[in-house]
Amino acid sequence: MNSCLGKAMLRSGISLLLLSALLGAFSVADVYGDPFDTAGFLERLGNDEYEVWRGAQTELANRGVEGVEIATQLYLEGRIHESSLGSVLDLVQTAEARQTVAALLTHESIVIRFHAANALADMKDEGTVVGLQHGIRLLIEEHRSGLTTDEGHREREARSSATYWMPRALWGVKPTKESADIIIELADLHEEEKRFDILAALNDNVGRTFWDAETSLKVLFHAMGYMGGPEGMDVRLDNAPGGDFPLFDDAFQREFVLAHREEAVALMREEFAKSNSNLSVLMLGFLKDETSVPAMAKLYLTAGGFYGWESSTPDIFGGNQYITHTVVEEAIEHITGESIEDVITLSEKDIEVLKARADEGERAALYILHRWRPEIAKALLSRYQRDKTVLSSEAGYALMQHYVKDGMTMSEVREMLGEPDRVFGSQWYYRFEIGGVAIGRLLFHTGTSEKGNVEDGVLIGMSLSGMQADEPEL
């Protein structure tokens, strides 16, 4: 028995599952004979050198239909890992071999089906359309029949991934009404999040013509939930599509949402009320929904969170540290045309609540006070630094960044920062444990007064940096 039989069966539409059954206990060597060195292939596949094992996968893929059959059989025999099977399927080049991969979409093993779907997603070969349609219909039949309930963890993972990739592979090759119908049929069998994951395969200009406006918007918004940023923080609502940080990927999306503004506002209000998601805030901002401004202002004053912006010494008053606040600010200013400080007014109750939150170590509360009532923020930070209590090192670091100024006297600096960790001539040093060790250096002009009081010293320079090797030990 040789590869010719396997090829003939595949051309006749007989699945590899049946081929495997006919082969019974025969091994790959029995089927394909000496031309394929199974032992040598497996030895190279186990090599630690990338060029060696990748070369083995490539050479097997280059055997075309026979390579696909061999890799599948080796996986079924437990002689190669599923990742190696997936790599071989990814690497096939000929149309005939790709059709063989498409035939795997109805294989008994859902793991094999997943790897076949994943490989086909990038191929965009029209010869795979029938196989993809059959594969999706089988997923539909299995879901309806309840045959998937007893699957193990890996099988469930593979089924979820196959359900994700098959629609994308089919739509990438044949974006037609027929393809849309079968994808929608599959999607409608699943709960909302998974449903929109599947429908997102059709999320382009053509796809949106196949359903009503509300469903189209839901699919679009679901796909947009994975925004750059983090989480949309860098989005600028006045940017046109294609700008540095646009809300929409293309002009069609933007115009589609504007054309269905009423439905879009209703959906985003519902989403905002349910989750306060950044997408809902930005979208309502883009749509200039004035009725949402009070709720956004409330969210701004109550939200917590601190990003830590990829720095060992982050600025706790840096706007890029507060994702929700940055997103809300962008939306409110886009809606109103005013700065957020002019839109939001802090009441005495708001201030007391923010002070209490700050005393619990919440940086976002300090950030808001710093912007609206900087004298209160300064007093709180000074207390934290001097008493070595809440956020003490971060407090001192923030004071030096934002409140310590040239021209201050030694006594004023001492009142704000407390006693220095080291005095070295006319220089004061403060040590801040904030991620790593940071050192604050302050240089004073210390001309002695008639009364001999060096507290007249005036700050003439300062710096903040990491600990240096030649730094005097603090």
Side-chain angles (χ1 to χ4, degrees), residues 234-255 258 286 330 334:
D234 291 333
V235 168
R236 296 295 173 261
L237 294 177
D238 55 354
N239 274 15
D244 290 338
F245 299 103
L247 179 59
F248 298 97
D249 290 334
D250 57 58
F252 183 91
Q253 293 178 346
R254 181 189 185 99
E255 295 309 313
L258 289 173
F286 166 73
E330 178 70 16
H334 191 73

Side-chain angles (χ1 to χ4, degrees), residues 420-446:
D421 292 291
R422 181 181 177 89
V423 176
F424 192 72
S426 60
Q427 298 182 66
W428 286 7
Y429 290 83
Y430 289 89
R431 178 189 179 101
F432 305 114
E433 296 282 352
I434 174 172
V437 176
I439 301 297
R441 304 170 183 80
L442 295 93
L443 177 63
F444 293 89
H445 175 69
T446 55

Side-chain angles (χ1 to χ4, degrees), residues 19 75 371 424 433:
L19 174 60
Y75 170 71
R371 293 190 62 174
F424 192 72
E433 296 282 352

Side-chain angles (χ1 to χ4, degrees), residues 143 160 163-165 167-168 180-203 207 210-223 226 267:
H143 194 281
S160 177
T163 303
Y164 178 88
W165 284 113
R168 281 158 175 77
D181 286 344
I182 191 173
I183 292 171
I184 293 169
E185 184 179 357
L186 175 66
D188 286 345
L189 296 174
H190 294 80
E191 298 297 325
E192 184 172 273
E193 183 172 355
K194 185 66 177 179
R195 176 173 178 256
F196 289 137
D197 267 343
I198 299 168
L199 290 178
L202 284 70
N203 188 38
F210 293 136
W211 45 58
D212 59 274
E214 181 177 334
T215 302
S216 298
L217 288 167
K218 285 182 176 179
V219 173
L220 172 61
F221 294 153
H222 179 74
Y226 306 97
L267 286 172

Side-chain angles (χ1 to χ4, degrees), residues 336-352:
T336 64
E338 301 179 76
S339 71
I340 195 166
E341 287 90 350
D342 291 332
V343 175
I344 297 178
T345 301
L346 295 188
S347 67
E348 290 304 315
K349 181 179 179 181
D350 291 332
I351 292 171
E352 291 307 312

